[in-house]
Each structure stands twice: as C-alpha cells, then as structure tokens.
Amino acid sequence: MKQSFCALVIMMVVVAPLLLAQQRPADAPQKQTVTFMVKDGDSLVPKNVDVVYAPKQGQDKQALPYDQAPEAKTTFQPKYPDAATKAGTEGNVWTKVSIDENGKVTKVVISKSDNEIFNQPSIDAAMKWEFRPALKDGKPMACEVAIPFRFKLAGKGYSPLDFTQSPKDPFYVSVSPLLGYQVMSQQPYLIGHSPSATSQLYPESALKDKFDGIVFLKLTINSGGRVERVEVEGHAREDLDSAAVRLARTWTFIPGQMWGVPEKSIIRVPVAFNLGKLSK
C-alpha cells in the first residue's frame, strides 16, 4: 500500500518540471495562489486565495491584492487537438493569466501541464477571455488569475467525488520535498447564495405550529460550484423539506477538487430549522 501511494505521488510531481528546477530550502516559506473558477450564470468568476506554506511556522492566509476579484464576462473552451483525439490522450493544463486595468488579457503563461500538446490550445482559449477588472479602493487594477483547463474525451465519463461516505477525508494534501504541498482532494464549501424568490426561509405553516426539525440533504455540486441536484435523505415534514431544498438551490460553492482541478462532487448537508425563543 505504501509503495502504491509513493508511486502515485511520484507520478503527480514529475508533471511539473519547471517547478522541480526551483528547489527551495525545506524551511523556506512557499507562497501559492489557489484560484477557483466559480460559475455565476453564464460567466465563470475567479475566486483567489493566497496561501503560505512554511514547515516551521505553519500555514498563513495572506490578504488578497484587491478588494473585488475580476469577473469573467466571456469565456472560451480550448479546441481539442486532433492528434490527441486520435491517440485518446487526456490531461489538464493550468494557465496563469495577466489582466490589465481594462479587463483585457495581456499575457498567458503555462504554469503546469500534463501534456505539451494541450498547451497552445489553452493559451489560445485563455487569450480570448474577457473580464471585468479587479477593483482596489474602487479603482480598476491589473492582476493575475489562474485558469485550469480540462481536456477530457467525450464518452469517458467519471463518477463525482463522494464526500458523504466515511472515511473519505474532506481535505487531503500531499507533501513533497521538492514541490512543497499539493491539494489532492478538497471538499466543496459554501461561499454565497443567489437572491431567493422569497425572504421567508422559515415556512409560515411551521411557524404557526411551532414546529422545528432537521432536514438532511444530499447535494450534487458541479465543477462550477453550482448546485446541480438536491435530494432529501432525512425528512422533517413536507413544508420544512421544501424550504430546505429551495434554500440549497440558491447556494454557490467553491467546487470540490481532485489533483487541483475542480470536479463534480456530492456532499451531505443538515439544515436545522430552529425556532429558539419563539417556541417558548
């Protein structure tokens, strides 16, 4: 088992030769920007988190360079290379995109790639993206975001990451002496919600009956961070069940990840309806 795990880690780290050439002392802090592309309507909105990994000092979250993240107005998917299609080749490419004060993409750099055949299509696609610029103190500013592209052939479906089954860890990190750390898998987490059709989250019928309870939901969240499906696994009563489902459909998540790439995932969420002092 240990040999298999070591082999998996080695396979993952060798796909980043540029990073291998940049060895740092084991005790030197290493900064990494993690960017998630969260779907908002027809647009993908980048969400950035800067993390510092320091073996002797622990992890620390750094302040973002802007007050409001840039928002993608227009997105393009890369063209699948014919040679890769014929060979049945799949892979992932991570691009670092420079955006000016007008929201125009000025430069695209490949930060990591599973296969060079996908690099140029990724650059060509990223150069066509259009953004609303980032804001600092209310003024537009230039910045950088990371955009991952997945190259997966049609017909090769995959099961969503299932975080409802124990003992799967919600957050799994692999540490390498050369690359620092890599997020192997990460459970989705809630970052916001869209406006609800009604502000009345607690059903009037349940309020009248002074009834409270817990509804257990199973959510399927797509790779864009949107709730794709809601199932009621543990019922309270019909009005609370319906209210919990309506609420869940308004949520937006940082999507789950596998090997640093957003993936469809499943989580279980308890929604507690608690009257508190109103029930007395």
Side-chain angles (χ1 to χ4, degrees):
M1 178 65 72
K2 290 183 178 179
Q3 292 178 345
S4 298
F5 176 77
C6 291
L8 174 61
V9 173
I10 291 172
M11 288 176 63
M12 292 190 60
V13 300
V14 295
V15 298
L18 294 179
L19 292 178
L20 287 172
Q22 300 176 358
Q23 294 190 29
R24 297 187 177 100
D27 59 347
Q30 300 178 31
K31 183 176 178 180
Q32 177 178 347
T33 300
V34 181
T35 303
F36 303 88
M37 302 305 297
V38 180
K39 193 167 185 180
D40 184 6
D42 294 330
S43 300
L44 290 176
V45 180
K47 300 289 183 179
N48 284 23
V49 177
D50 287 352
V51 178
V52 171
Y53 171 71
K56 290 189 176 180
Q57 301 175 2
Q59 279 189 190
D60 185 26
K61 182 188 268 189
Q62 302 297 306
L64 291 175
Y66 40 70
D67 299 325
Q68 182 174 320
E71 296 182 9
K73 297 190 300 182
T74 306
T75 65
F76 287 86
Q77 290 301 313
K79 182 181 183 300
Y80 214 110
D82 292 337
T85 302
K86 293 176 181 178
T89 303
E90 299 180 336
N92 302 302
V93 175
W94 290 259
T95 64
K96 184 169 68 174
V97 178
S98 299
I99 307 169
D100 65 15
E101 295 87 347
N102 297 315
K104 182 180 179 181
V105 175
T106 58
K107 183 180 179 182
V108 178
V109 176
I110 303 297
S111 56
K112 183 179 175 183
S113 174
D114 291 346
N115 194 313
E116 290 186 0
I117 197 172
F118 298 126
N119 289 2
Q120 192 59 51
S122 299
I123 292 174
D124 293 342
M127 285 296 299
K128 296 178 182 178
W129 284 43
E130 297 178 5
F131 291 83
R132 294 184 179 88
L135 299 178
K136 181 69 174 179
D137 298 327
K139 298 180 180 179
M141 64 168 287
C143 68
E144 292 183 341
V145 297
I147 303 176
F149 291 105
R150 166 184 290 280
F151 291 81
K152 190 168 185 67
L153 294 170
K156 290 191 175 182
Y158 57 93
S159 300
L161 304 175
D162 190 348
F163 292 98
T164 66
Q165 302 298 319
S166 182
K168 187 175 183 64
D169 295 322
F171 190 60
Y172 172 36
V173 173
S174 173
V175 180
S176 162
L178 296 179
L179 297 179
Y181 75 94
Q182 288 183 312
V183 176
M184 303 287 284
S185 66
Q186 179 173 307
Q187 178 172 321
Y189 58 94
L190 185 65
I191 58 171
H193 66 277
S194 58
S196 178
T198 174
S199 59
Q200 185 64 48
L201 298 177
Y202 210 112
E204 288 285 355
S205 52
L207 283 173
K208 185 180 296 185
D209 296 341
K210 295 185 178 180
F211 187 91
D212 55 16
I214 300 177
V215 180
F216 291 90
L217 302 177
K218 185 166 76 171
L219 307 183
T220 301
I221 301 165
N222 65 25
S223 59
R226 304 295 294 181
V227 177
E228 190 174 272
R229 184 178 181 184
V230 183
E231 301 174 62
V232 178
E233 285 200 323
H235 298 268
R237 74 178 204 175
E238 186 175 352
D239 51 359
L240 296 188
D241 293 351
S242 298
V245 170
R246 286 196 303 272
L247 175 63
R249 291 194 179 281
T250 70
W251 290 339
T252 299
F253 288 80
I254 294 289
Q257 287 190 82
M258 181 61 73
W259 295 7
V261 177
E263 297 276 6
K264 179 184 289 190
S265 55
I266 301 172
I267 61 173
R268 182 175 287 115
V269 179
V271 180
F273 291 85
N274 186 4
L275 289 171
K277 295 180 179 180
L278 292 177
S279 62
K280 297 180 180 179

